[in-house]
Amino acid sequence: MKKNVLMSIAVLSATAVICVALIAVVNHFWHITDEERFARAVKDIMQTNSFEIQYDNEVAEYNADIGGNDNYGIRTVRLAKGGRDDGCYLFQSRGRGYNGGFVELLIGYTADGELIGFIKTSLSDANTYQHLIKDSDWDAASDSVKGKTYKDEFESGRAGGNALQAATGASVTLGGASEAIKISNEFFKKYISDDVVEPPKGEIEVNATKIAQLNILFSVENSGYQGVTIKQGGYVKYPITSDRESGARVEAVYTAEAVDGEKYFIAEVWATTSGYGNWRLLVLLDDNNLIAAVNRTGNPPYEVYEEDDEHYDASNLDSTLNMTALYKGKALSAIAGIDEYDEYLQGTTHPTESIDGLKLCITHVLKNAMSLREKLAEFIGEEA
Amino acid sequence: MDKMDKKMLKRTALGGILDNPVFVLVLGMCPLIAVSTSFMDALLMGVSTAIVLLLSNVAISALRKITPSAVRLPIYLMVVATLVTILQMFLDKYIPDFYASAGRFIALIAVNCIILARAEAFAGKNDVLSSLVDAASMGLGFIVAIAILGGVRQLLGDVLGISIFTAPAGGFIALGLLMALFNAALFFAKGYAARREARKTRREARRSAKTVKEEAL
């Protein structure tokens, strides 16, 4: 009995050792290096395998600006050397997918910034939706950006297209792909192209609609901010803070000056709640207080209630949010004020869930108020 | 090799038809349905499985005398898993496109019923030559079956546009139809062979009766 047990253990152990040794030997000969994998991936969009990594410092700076991390940002920018694609650029970028995952793409650009296409190199395993996308769907997504330039995609921010997203059921994943392309386009525009990115200082670089929206904010009756005009400041194009987990980010910051010379800044905040659309708020901060007004863009949450007469009163919600100064005079620390307004709004419109988006915007601004202030201080300091 | 051994070897060599792993034994359905959406993928999957089957049968047969009965299954699994890992490395290195599309099913070969069934039922009990013949026959039977299934699904699904055949449900339908066809053909072939054998027996009986009669006269 004992002999049998020992024999079994010995044979098992010997078999395991031989198997592992065999695999190790084979792995030595057939191991695929990272360079080989990279070359395999690249060959679908570029003909050359010779690249030189460039813009290291700029990549670090850009990633810091956008709040990049392991799941979000540009990994490398390579310049193609020799062959048909000499002078083209290859970006390795990551966009955020679902549930803390990421989508990594290799994106090819001509020297002039025309998109050659993209391929996915890896997907994190954080969510199963990412794997709903078949290779042919990725090809279709890649085809959809061919011939466009970094400028086009910067405006549209869409890699695939709604039809593709609906077909695959993986909108978040393609959203991640879109994000990877979008930041690559931004980087190209900022560091590689000859385009001037920063608007001239001392002038607000906003269009008439935006000025009108900002003026609504200042003209609200009894808001205490009448007479504030947008006189100086800048327009920050890139997200200053980003908080994907809560579904909110500050997308732009404006400065403003009152007739008495007091300076303010206004943050344009975007937030989304699952299933209830997007909110885009303009939030004004002065020394210790804030007011806010709604800027109706994107996908207003009240569309959810459009077909539900019992719970929807568009005119009520619309006028309420646009013409009322929210949180007038509230201290930044008085977050509890949100609940007060929450009750009031629900009493009139009942869109309980959609209010979550509004709250998210406000709390996000409150959370990031200090860093926003610092940014603005830098801005105003530079101008001075 | 005596007459009995030759007969046994012949029967083993015909195992891929008479005991076809797909159409008769209905083994290894998961990769069969998953990868048989096109002829080429199905063929490569069949060849991959057959190679693992061949090597594992030989290895297990060679090790059978030193393999303790109590731990034979873990040892079979280790051997098969090692072979599959090596196969994966090979495919990833030299046929990356196929590996990218069928990689997860390649790994599943390690627990494919065909491999383990042949190891347990045959290779673990017979000599290396017989195991090699058995694996070659079964492997060939699997390749032919999965390639036909892949071809039929590609023809009906991609060429004729009956899209259900590219989905797993269509795979089962196509498999069912092919299985019925194969078993019907096998039934008639066996019947024909039995009738032929009976005729031969009767002829021999008549001949021996005639001989007896002539001797009596």
Side-chain angles (χ1 to χ4, degrees), chain B residues 4-85:
Chain B
M4 189 62 200
D5 283 348
K6 275 186 182 171
K7 199 175 175 186
M8 169 88 175
L9 210 57
K10 191 179 169 190
R11 176 66 182 79
T12 305
L14 288 174
I17 298 171
L18 300 177
D19 293 324
N20 187 282
V22 174
F23 295 138
V24 179
L25 301 179
V26 200
L27 295 173
M29 289 294 102
C30 174
L32 186 84
I33 296 298
V35 185
S36 63
T37 49
S38 78
F39 175 76
M40 208 55 212
D41 279 1
L43 186 67
L44 284 169
M45 184 67 188
V47 171
S48 302
T49 308
I51 288 170
V52 174
L53 180 62
L54 205 71
L55 297 175
S56 68
N57 255 25
V58 170
I60 287 164
S61 175
L63 292 171
R64 72 186 190 285
K65 285 180 182 165
I66 58 162
T67 305
S69 174
V71 290
R72 68 185 190 288
L73 280 178
I75 287 174
Y76 294 169
L77 276 174
M78 251 192 288
V79 169
V80 177
T82 303
L83 293 170
V84 169
T85 306

Side-chain angles (χ1 to χ4, degrees), chain A residues 361-380:
Chain A
C361 278
I362 303 291
T363 49
H364 192 68
V365 172
L366 293 171
K367 231 166 79 178
N368 293 287
M370 291 315 293
S371 66
L372 287 173
R373 270 182 195 292
E374 283 165 15
K375 283 277 177 189
L376 257 294
E378 277 175 29
F379 237 171
I380 294 167

Side-chain angles (χ1 to χ4, degrees), chain A residues 239-254:
Chain A
I240 290 184
T241 60
S242 185
D243 186 358
R244 187 70 174 216
E245 276 179 29
S246 67
R249 65 173 177 261
V250 175
E251 294 199 321
V253 174
Y254 311 88

Side-chain angles (χ1 to χ4, degrees), chain B residues 4-216:
Chain B
M4 189 62 200
D5 283 348
K6 275 186 182 171
K7 199 175 175 186
M8 169 88 175
L9 210 57
K10 191 179 169 190
R11 176 66 182 79
T12 305
L14 288 174
I17 298 171
L18 300 177
D19 293 324
N20 187 282
V22 174
F23 295 138
V24 179
L25 301 179
V26 200
L27 295 173
M29 289 294 102
C30 174
L32 186 84
I33 296 298
V35 185
S36 63
T37 49
S38 78
F39 175 76
M40 208 55 212
D41 279 1
L43 186 67
L44 284 169
M45 184 67 188
V47 171
S48 302
T49 308
I51 288 170
V52 174
L53 180 62
L54 205 71
L55 297 175
S56 68
N57 255 25
V58 170
I60 287 164
S61 175
L63 292 171
R64 72 186 190 285
K65 285 180 182 165
I66 58 162
T67 305
S69 174
V71 290
R72 68 185 190 288
L73 280 178
I75 287 174
Y76 294 169
L77 276 174
M78 251 192 288
V79 169
V80 177
T82 303
L83 293 170
V84 169
T85 306
I86 291 170
L87 178 75
Q88 279 184 296
M89 288 175 178
F90 173 83
L91 292 174
D92 195 12
K93 181 84 177 175
Y94 297 108
I95 319 178
D97 289 342
F98 170 68
Y99 183 69
S101 65
R104 70 186 71 176
F105 300 105
I106 298 293
L108 281 175
I109 293 176
V111 286
N112 193 311
C113 306
I114 300 170
I115 314 271
L116 289 177
R118 296 329 291 171
E120 175 70 1
F122 200 93
K125 297 170 187 165
N126 291 283
D127 61 82
V128 173
L129 181 64
S130 303
S131 300
L132 186 72
V133 173
D134 176 70
S137 172
M138 284 291 174
L140 210 58
F142 185 73
I143 292 173
V144 171
I146 195 172
I148 290 174
L149 183 62
V152 167
R153 287 180 72 184
Q154 189 170 14
L155 180 72
L156 295 175
D158 292 345
V159 180
L160 299 181
I162 310 171
S163 56
I164 191 172
F165 285 101
T166 58
F172 279 110
I173 293 170
L175 177 64
L177 293 173
L178 288 173
M179 206 180 270
L181 210 63
F182 181 87
N183 281 292
L186 199 61
F187 176 79
F188 287 118
K190 277 180 177 173
Y192 174 74
R195 283 196 298 279
R196 201 174 149 190
E197 188 66 25
R199 271 203 302 274
K200 193 178 166 188
T201 311
R202 280 200 301 275
R203 212 166 28 238
E204 277 175 7
R206 274 202 301 274
R207 198 174 294 143
S208 57
K210 194 177 172 186
T211 312
V212 170
K213 199 173 172 184
E214 281 170 0
E215 281 173 1

